[in-house]
Amino acid sequence: MKLKDPDLILSYRFGVFFFEGGVQPNMVDIRFQKVSGLRADMTMGSITEGGENLYTHRIPKRADYGNLILERGIVIKSSVQTSFNDVFTFFKFSPASVLVTVYNDQNKPATGWLFHKAFPVKWSFGDLDANASSVIIETMELAYTMFQNVEV
């Protein structure tokens, strides 16, 4: 499908790359069904000026980030699952950089976001239902110190 505006990027072509200890995981760990939580907010403060009653000066204090939420069909033998298991079983944290890359219609990287010092904070699985034959969805949630938009 060709886009009428080549500057617009479709949201369904993306990859998620975990860089733990400088090593990229296997190809299973880059495929996710959904990525959400891509947001940054600026926390604001105010300064009142002596003698000025009409307004206060608004100043930026710091950036605040949401958690990165990744969803996929559950897989067997995944290095990312091993990292999550280490956190929730042994309380062993290994923060990693995570790169979310979006591809253009020629399957070339168009843009992306680099998440610094990401670590697991929530891990959940879809319901098991004997009356349905659907894929079990694994949801992985990561906190991180900051993210930045990267041109790839």
Side-chain angles (χ1 to χ4, degrees):
M1 173 181 176
K2 288 285 186 185
L3 295 175
K4 292 184 181 193
D5 185 347
D7 293 332
L8 297 177
I9 301 169
L10 299 176
S11 66
Y12 68 91
R13 290 188 179 115
F14 62 90
V16 179
F17 303 90
F18 288 80
F19 298 97
E20 189 173 353
V23 178
Q24 183 178 332
N26 62 41
M27 294 302 287
V28 170
D29 285 330
I30 70 169
R31 298 182 201 152
F32 286 86
Q33 174 184 352
K34 186 176 180 181
V35 175
S36 59
L38 303 170
R39 71 165 190 82
D41 299 311
M42 188 58 63
T43 302
M44 300 297 290
S46 61
I47 297 175
T48 53
E49 188 176 340
E52 180 57 67
N53 295 326
L54 294 176
Y55 61 87
T56 59
H57 298 281
R58 296 188 69 208
I59 58 168
K61 291 177 99 178
R62 71 180 148 274
D64 182 35
Y65 302 96
N67 288 341
L68 178 64
I69 302 167
L70 309 171
E71 294 179 28
R72 68 178 179 185
I74 192 169
V75 296
I76 298 172
K77 300 222 178 186
S78 158
S79 60
V80 172
Q81 283 177 335
T82 300
S83 295
F84 270 72
N85 193 53
D86 286 347
V87 166
F88 291 104
T89 303
F90 307 112
F91 207 69
K92 179 183 170 189
F93 290 82
S94 299
S97 294
V98 178
L99 176 65
V100 176
T101 304
V102 182
Y103 299 96
N104 62 19
D105 58 344
Q106 286 92 33
N107 285 327
K108 293 182 181 173
T111 191
W113 299 270
L114 181 61
F115 299 84
H116 298 275
K117 297 181 183 174
F119 59 91
V121 293
K122 187 174 183 180
W123 194 18
S124 61
F125 301 89
D127 296 337
L128 303 178
D129 184 353
N131 294 317
S133 62
S134 57
V135 174
I136 301 170
I137 301 297
E138 175 180 33
T139 303
M140 301 172 157
E141 193 164 331
L142 300 137
Y144 50 90
T145 56
M146 65 174 284
F147 79 82
Q148 63 190 99
N149 183 245
V150 293
E151 296 300 320
V152 288

